[in-house]
């Protein structure tokens, strides 16, 4: 069992992620008594603050971002007392020396959360090494983006590995902290009902959708260097695909789970120049309306024309025994009609309907796993409608819905980062991404981007508030399939 951290060091402690997610998550853990009693939280950033000023900013963040009624002054006082702050310019060795003095002996349980621009990863890690803050017990968590392609990802991982070996490196994909994502494993591997059917003999196709209603939201520089493929597909969506498609691990531990995920990622069929036009669609939103309110197009928000995609749809295949011939349709975009993240699994229809002669039509069963805005599991089954059937049997599809908020109403709904921060503090890497996973993801994504360049593919325009370019509809309907909306 790994030693629990006694100090959590937060880089970028005055940034938006810290205010909206990290500090509220740590407060939530403290309110439940899950943080080690002696844990200190040391924040660092370029902003010149002292401890009192940082605590005041943290208190404002808690009041603004915690759920209504969750903030309690007594708990807040206890939590804020844990907070300390050291201003740091990454290029100033004296700053790292001050940081080292504040932390003390790092060999007694230090966990570092690094949320900075990728270009600052190497100088930050070099500074930590020089200051003696990279001893053999220190753990390092890395927030994305981890590069822009396979080559840059390897450069970042090499820089990290020079000070923090793989067993002490925790790469974050916050989707893996979501309860429903973890529930996907429970649904598959704790219920005999599903796993025997979880294969190409019984499943027709799978759809994974991550739809956002927002536009740039002040992230223009990042998004211009990323685009939808690298921002969403490379990490979140491929992780969801891997968890959906993986073989049963031998145990629920970091090595077994991640071994099975990487097998899936390496089995993804490469999309090449020959099939990129038939297997992918790229789009960019123009002006339109969201919830009845007019919104500008991407180029208008950016202030110039751009070739960056804000929408991607992909038809993918996992070439292994379990999934041979089953298409996985991935779709993500900004300025969609609704905010929605879901995994949609359509089973095959019954091979022969005994009700057809009585005028009844069957539909394939469906399993819908919703991640946001609400965490839900819905199983769609065929049922007979009430009646005496004098004019034939009538069948209707009915959903069996499990709203996790209702099913577990006695439990507080947690921020995804709560689980990840607690696992970092306790040293459990199961829900973090291993280097070979990241590189397998990048290898697949780089192939798509190379094929786009070779074919000269550019984003098709779609109206904000719609489900992307019309070509995305054709992507599935060529196979006799409609997107689940």
């Amino acid at each position: 069992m790994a030693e629990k951290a006694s100090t959590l060091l937060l880089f970028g402690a005055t940034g938006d992620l810290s205010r909206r997610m990290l500090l509220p998550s740590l407060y939530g853990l403290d309110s439940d008594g899950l943080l080690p009693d002696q844990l200190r939280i040391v924040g660092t950033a370029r902003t010149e603050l002292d401890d009192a000023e940082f605590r005041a900013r943290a208190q404002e963040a808690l009041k603004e971002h915690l759920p209504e009624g969750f903030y309690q002054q007594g708990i807040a006082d206890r939590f804020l007392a844990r907070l300390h702050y050291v201003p740091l310019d990454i290029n100033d060795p004296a700053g790292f020396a001050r940081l080292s003095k504040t932390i003390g002996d790092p060999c007694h349980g230090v966990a570092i959360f690094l949320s900075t621009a990728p270009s600052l990863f190497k100088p930050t890690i070099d500074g930590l090494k020089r200051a003696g803050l990279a001893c053999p017990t220190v753990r390092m968590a890395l927030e994305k983006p981890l590069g822009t392609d396979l080559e840059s990802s390897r450069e970042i991982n090499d820089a990290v590995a020079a000070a923090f070996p793989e067993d002490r490196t925790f790469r974050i994909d916050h989707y893996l902290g979501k309860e429903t994502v973890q529930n996907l494993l429970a649904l598959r591997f704790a219920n005999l009902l599903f796993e025997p059917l979880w294969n190409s003999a019984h499943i027709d196709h799978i759809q994974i959708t991550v739809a956002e209603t927002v536009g740039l939201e002040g992230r223009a520089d990042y998004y211009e260097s990323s685009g939808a493929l690298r921002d969403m597909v490379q990490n979140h969506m491929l992780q969801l695909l891997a968890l959906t498609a993986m073989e049963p691990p031998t145990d629920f531990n970091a090595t077994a789970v991640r071994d099975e995920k990487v097998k899936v990622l390496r089995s993804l069929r490469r999309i090449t120049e020959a099939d990129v036009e038939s297997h992918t669609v790229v789009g960019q939103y123009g002006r339109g309306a969201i919830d009845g309110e007019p919104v500008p197009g991407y180029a208008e928000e950016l202030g110039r024309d751009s070739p960056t995609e804000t929408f991607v749809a992909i038809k993918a295949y996992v070439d292994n025994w379990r999934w041979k011939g089953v298409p996985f349709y991935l779709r993500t975009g900004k300025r969609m009609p609704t905010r929605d993240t879901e995994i949609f699994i359509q089973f095959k229809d019954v091979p022969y309907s005994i009700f057809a002669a009585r005028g009844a039509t069957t539909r394939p069963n469906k399993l819908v796993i919703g991640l946001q805005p609400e965490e839900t599991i819905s199983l769609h089954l065929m049922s007979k409608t009430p009646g005496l059937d004098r004019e034939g049997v009538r069948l209707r599809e009915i959903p069996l819905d499990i709203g996790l908020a209702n099913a577990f109403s006695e439990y507080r709904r947690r921020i995804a980062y709560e689980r990840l921060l607690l696992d970092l503090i306790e040293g459990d890497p199961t829900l973090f991404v291993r280097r070979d996973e990241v590189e397998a993801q990048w290898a697949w994504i780089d192939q798509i981007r190379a094929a786009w360049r070779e074919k000269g593919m550019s984003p098709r325009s779609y109206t904000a508030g719609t489900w992307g370019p019309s070509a995305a509809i054709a992507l599935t309907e060529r196979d006799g399939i409609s997107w689940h909306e």
Side-chain angles (χ1 to χ4, degrees):
M1 186 70 180
E3 179 186 4
K4 292 184 179 181
S6 58
T7 301
L8 176 63
L9 174 57
L10 299 178
F11 278 83
T14 60
D16 186 58
L17 178 66
S18 178
R19 287 181 54 82
R20 290 188 302 108
M21 295 292 178
L22 304 186
L23 291 171
S25 294
L26 289 165
Y27 170 93
L29 294 172
D30 201 5
S31 71
D32 290 338
L34 294 173
L35 295 182
D37 291 340
Q38 303 305 313
L39 179 74
R40 294 185 309 154
I41 301 168
V42 179
T44 186
R46 290 176 62 95
T47 308
E48 289 287 339
L49 300 172
D50 59 23
D51 286 356
E53 290 169 324
F54 180 54
R55 288 169 182 164
R57 286 195 178 199
Q59 186 174 39
E60 291 174 4
L62 296 179
K63 290 180 177 179
E64 180 179 355
H65 296 292
L66 285 174
E68 186 176 354
F70 190 41
Y71 181 90
Q72 296 182 32
Q73 193 60 52
I75 296 173
D77 290 342
R78 182 181 71 203
F79 171 70
L80 294 170
R82 296 179 183 270
L83 302 185
H84 304 271
Y85 185 84
V86 178
L88 175 67
D89 182 337
I90 298 299
N91 299 310
D92 179 14
F96 283 98
R98 290 193 301 271
L99 195 60
S100 178
K101 183 178 179 180
T102 298
I103 290 174
D105 182 1
C107 294
H108 292 291
V110 173
I112 301 173
F113 189 106
L114 187 57
S115 174
T116 62
S119 61
L120 299 178
F121 279 9
K122 187 177 188 305
T124 301
I125 290 166
D126 289 344
L128 291 169
K129 286 170 61 178
R130 287 194 302 268
L133 294 174
C135 74
T137 60
V138 176
R139 297 189 280 271
M140 170 65 77
L142 304 171
E143 181 63 74
K144 75 160 195 170
L146 297 178
T148 57
D149 54 19
L150 179 57
E151 182 180 357
S152 60
S153 175
R154 283 177 170 164
E155 290 175 0
I156 290 172
N157 281 317
D158 287 344
V160 174
F164 301 95
E166 187 62 35
D167 64 346
R168 291 192 284 114
T169 299
F170 292 62
R171 296 174 191 83
I172 292 171
D173 185 326
H174 74 268
Y175 268 49
L176 299 184
K178 292 179 179 290
E179 283 289 349
T180 318
V181 173
Q182 298 164 51
N183 240 324
L184 176 59
L185 296 180
L187 186 74
R188 289 190 57 190
F189 304 128
N191 296 286
L192 186 60
L193 173 67
F194 291 111
E195 189 55 27
L197 307 179
W198 211 265
N199 53 57
S200 60
H202 302 286
I203 290 179
D204 181 78
H205 72 275
I206 293 173
Q207 301 178 24
I208 301 175
T209 293
V210 180
E212 301 179 285
T213 57
V214 298
L216 284 178
E217 284 196 312
R219 301 170 69 228
D221 289 342
Y222 164 71
Y223 205 81
E224 266 296 281
S225 65
S226 172
L229 185 69
R230 289 183 283 189
D231 182 47
M232 278 292 182
V233 181
Q234 185 273 331
N235 41 77
H236 303 325
M237 299 190 76
L238 289 186
Q239 283 293 312
L240 294 178
L241 186 153
L243 289 169
T244 302
M246 65 189 275
E247 295 297 319
T250 56
D251 196 359
F252 187 60
N253 62 45
T255 299
V257 171
R258 298 192 291 183
D259 281 351
E260 297 304 335
K261 284 197 294 174
V262 79
K263 288 178 188 177
V264 173
L265 296 168
R266 288 173 175 167
S267 299
L268 281 168
R269 185 185 300 175
R270 295 291 189 260
I271 296 176
T272 65
E273 182 182 351
D275 52 20
V276 70
E277 290 178 305
S278 61
H279 283 59
T280 71
V281 175
V282 289
Q284 184 184 103
Y285 65 84
R287 63 176 61 183
I290 303 289
D291 293 330
E293 296 294 325
V295 295
Y298 180 80
E300 292 176 83
E301 285 190 72
L302 189 64
R304 62 180 186 277
D305 290 339
S306 168
T308 300
E309 80 282 356
T310 64
F311 175 93
V312 180
I314 301 173
K315 178 182 177 181
Y317 287 94
V318 177
D319 285 335
N320 63 17
W321 188 295
R322 180 183 290 259
W323 297 111
K324 179 174 174 56
V326 177
F328 287 72
Y329 298 98
L330 313 180
R331 173 178 62 166
T332 184
K334 288 188 173 295
R335 295 298 191 196
M336 300 280 97
T338 61
R339 177 174 174 257
D340 186 32
T341 299
E342 70 172 28
I343 301 168
F344 173 83
I345 298 161
Q346 180 165 308
F347 294 88
K348 293 182 177 180
D349 204 353
V350 293
Y352 174 77
S353 173
I354 66 172
F355 304 103
R358 304 290 296 274
T361 302
T362 62
R363 294 182 182 180
N365 300 140
K366 306 173 184 69
L367 179 65
V368 185
I369 303 168
L371 279 72
Q372 59 185 21
E374 299 298 329
E375 296 179 324
T376 60
I377 298 173
S378 179
L379 179 61
H380 296 246
L381 305 174
M382 296 306 296
S383 177
K384 176 186 174 299
T385 60
L388 298 178
D389 307 327
R390 299 300 88 188
E391 298 179 359
V393 176
R394 291 178 297 168
L395 300 179
R396 191 173 76 187
E397 185 180 76
I398 60 168
L400 302 180
D401 293 328
I402 303 173
L404 297 189
N406 295 326
F408 300 105
S409 57
E410 70 272 29
Y411 293 92
R412 176 175 62 83
R413 183 175 179 178
R414 295 187 181 277
I415 304 169
Y417 279 96
E418 290 187 50
R419 173 64 185 266
L420 300 177
L421 285 166
L422 185 61
D423 283 354
L424 171 63
I425 291 166
E426 296 183 344
D428 182 354
T430 304
L431 297 178
F432 295 83
V433 184
R434 206 165 60 188
R435 177 171 181 166
D436 53 355
E437 291 180 71
V438 174
E439 295 188 352
Q441 290 169 182
W442 274 123
W444 194 69
I445 293 297
D446 284 356
Q447 181 75 55
I448 294 173
R449 294 180 62 235
W452 284 352
R453 288 193 298 271
E454 290 295 323
K455 280 292 188 179
M457 288 178 63
S458 57
R460 303 166 185 252
S461 180
Y462 65 95
T463 303
T466 66
W467 286 103
S470 58
I473 300 173
L475 180 72
T476 58
E477 294 202 341
R478 281 195 297 266
D479 301 328
I481 293 166
S482 297
W483 289 106
H484 181 251
E485 294 172 1

